[in-house]
Amino acid sequence: MKKKIIVTGGTGYIGSHTAVELIEEGFDIILIDNLYNSEAVVAERIGKITGTKPPLEVFDICDKLKLNRFFKKNKDIAAIMHFAAYKAVGESVNKPIEYYRNNLVSLINLLEAMNQYNIPSMVFSSSCTVYGQPEKLPVKEDSPVQPAISPYGNTKQIGEEIIRDATSVIQNIKAISLRYFNPIGAHPSAIIGELPRGVPENLVPYITQTGYGIRDELKVFGNDYNTPDGTCIRDFLHVVDLAKAHVIAARRLVENKNRKNYEVFNLGTGKGVSVLEAIQSFERVSGIKIKYTIKGRRPGDIEKIWADPSYANRELGWKTMSSLDEAMKTAWEWEKYIRKKNLSE
Ligand code: UD1
């Protein structure tokens, strides 16, 4: 029998890409999303890509009554992949309570439901933000977690702690936290991708929107960092590679291959790329020059971080397959698709 998996935030950026991979790997999935930051049409596009349109339940998992109703109706769930969360670092500084409520209440509700409805496994979306600015690079999983700079980052740290503590005493639930570095790009079909609300906060959507002419110019936040070209360094990984890691993590839990009740993995390429190098990559794959100006540093930015993904490579048998240029190309194809789509609607 096909294993049933719940994908919260299933019409969002990483959730939708993971949904595609889960379906293609033979899982039976149900998406839950409140459509706060995504659109229902994404479920149809997942169906277009895979040939199987997953059911989408539109409600907020912070709503315990609705969540209970859902789990009473949907039995025999093998795992929850929990993506649903607010994720804008800047916004979280101004709306801390909203961020704590949304990101933590949803998680607690799900953990309680796992215990109550016998759902054995969870895969949690965490972030390299938990490391702050690590002293040693590349960063390994045992690198110390540092005080979070933003409420958003804190929700990921606290979220991990809640899961760690819950799985240490509740023997029938287990979990894996995946610490993402910087996911970019889109599905090669270019019909699902990242769709930021309003002005993008993240680098790659800003680059592609500037390339398309929606933004006049890109602001590069600081070129006086202690890095070869002075701009910040990140580990950009293709979202499809990231999605594939989720399928492996789900399978590890569902097939009881996990070593401990709670495990943490870094998901990155292992290669640091500067902001200027990211711009150059976009220019190479699109043939479009990006107008940019150097601005002051963005508060809270980390100078440089990239993953040591060797634990995930070894234990999960996973590594990234796509190059920066390949990922950037898909980001560009997606930008063009979504703009033409919006114009024709
Ligand atoms: C941040 C969070 C990360 C979160 C992610 C998702 C931190 C340290 N990191 O990643 O946890 O999961 O957002 O929202 O909190 N840049 C520009 N111009 C722009 C936009 C960005 O120069 O217009 C630069 C930034 O200064 C940074 C780099 O590009 O150096 C990457 O920024 P961004 O894409 O926002 O990701 P992070 O800040 O790394």
Side-chain angles (χ1 to χ4, degrees):
M1 201 178 78
K2 277 187 173 186
K3 294 282 185 195
K4 206 188 290 175
I5 294 191
I6 303 302
V7 184
T8 77
T11 49
Y13 176 41
I14 303 170
S16 60
H17 287 83
T18 302
V20 167
E21 300 303 318
L22 284 168
I23 294 170
E24 287 183 344
E25 289 294 316
F27 289 97
D28 193 4
I29 65 168
I30 304 176
L31 314 179
I32 304 179
D33 208 299
N34 66 356
L35 305 181
Y36 170 78
N37 200 14
S38 61
E39 293 168 1
V41 68
V42 172
E44 272 152 48
R45 295 189 187 144
I46 294 169
K48 219 171 186 183
I49 295 169
T50 60
T52 309
K53 180 179 174 286
L56 167 65
E57 298 270 352
V58 179
F59 69 93
D60 191 334
I61 53 175
C62 290
D63 185 332
K64 189 116 202 226
L65 275 177
K66 288 191 181 148
L67 194 63
N68 279 337
R69 211 174 292 152
F70 173 84
F71 284 122
K72 278 187 192 132
K73 206 171 66 188
N74 295 282
K75 302 246 165 21
D76 302 320
I77 293 161
I80 297 174
M81 319 230 36
H82 179 38
F83 296 96
Y86 292 164
K87 63 153 198 169
V89 177
E91 184 184 62
S92 77
V93 175
N94 298 318
K95 296 183 173 175
I97 299 171
E98 285 91 330
Y99 268 69
Y100 287 115
R101 164 175 283 284
N102 187 62
N103 292 5
L104 298 179
V105 171
S106 54
L107 174 64
I108 292 167
N109 281 352
L110 290 174
L111 288 168
E112 283 176 346
M114 286 171 75
N115 196 22
Q116 196 176 341
Y117 298 99
N118 296 318
I119 304 162
S121 335
M122 172 185 275
V123 179
F124 177 63
S125 298
S126 190
S127 165
C128 70
T129 192
V130 301
Y131 298 117
Q133 177 61 67
E135 270 170 30
K136 272 208 317 226
L137 286 167
V139 60
K140 284 184 185 297
E141 287 81 354
D142 60 6
S143 179
V145 166
Q146 302 211 48
I149 293 166
S150 68
Y152 157 76
N154 212 16
T155 67
K156 293 299 173 190
Q157 289 189 3
I158 299 170
E160 282 199 13
E161 286 165 6
I162 294 172
I163 296 171
R164 183 202 59 205
D165 293 348
T167 50
S168 81
V169 291
I170 308 171
Q171 285 308 309
N172 55 337
I173 64 172
K174 52 195 174 165
I176 291 177
S177 285
L178 298 176
R179 291 179 178 159
Y180 311 158
F181 283 66
N182 288 59
I184 61 163
H187 191 265
S189 65
I191 65 170
I192 56 171
E194 185 174 11
L195 192 57
R197 276 181 307 138
V199 182
E201 285 207 26
N202 296 116
L203 179 65
V204 171
Y206 210 108
I207 291 178
T208 55
Q209 289 196 9
T210 308
Y212 203 80
I214 298 162
R215 312 280 157 211
D216 290 339
E217 59 169 24
L218 172 74
K219 299 171 196 74
V220 172
F221 300 133
N223 68 347
D224 56 352
Y225 285 100
N226 182 23
T227 60
D229 67 21
T231 63
C232 292
I233 293 180
R234 294 290 183 272
D235 183 338
F236 298 101
L237 76 158
H238 195 308
V239 66
V240 173
D241 283 330
L242 181 64
K244 288 182 195 293
H246 286 77
V247 180
I248 297 170
R251 187 158 279 149
R252 182 179 177 88
L253 291 170
V254 168
E255 294 174 2
N256 290 315
K257 288 194 224 134
N258 51 306
R259 284 180 190 269
K260 289 180 283 183
N261 252 11
Y262 179 52
E263 297 177 309
V264 175
F265 294 97
N266 280 346
L267 298 181
T269 66
K271 195 171 169 290
V273 169
S274 75
V275 172
L276 292 186
E277 286 170 334
I279 297 171
Q280 286 155 10
S281 165
F282 175 82
E283 293 181 337
R284 263 195 309 276
V285 300
S286 68
I288 294 171
K289 270 235 130 355
I290 289 288
K291 196 172 157 216
Y292 67 85
T293 49
I294 308 290
K295 298 281 179 189
R297 293 181 177 196
R298 184 171 71 174
D301 260 341
I302 278 152
E303 183 170 86
K304 50 190 167 208
I305 186 162
W306 61 95
D308 179 342
S310 55
Y311 185 55
N313 297 161
R314 225 173 35 241
E315 270 296 310
L316 301 178
W318 169 88
K319 67 179 179 40
T320 56
M321 303 301 283
S322 294
S323 67
L324 174 67
D325 282 8
E326 282 162 350
M328 199 62 88
K329 178 107 180 76
T330 60
W332 179 228
E333 293 307 322
W334 159 248
E335 184 70 56
K336 289 188 287 186
Y337 168 80
I338 200 67
R339 295 305 150 196
K340 285 196 193 106
K341 190 100 195 143
N342 284 351
L343 288 178
S344 64
E345 270 165 10

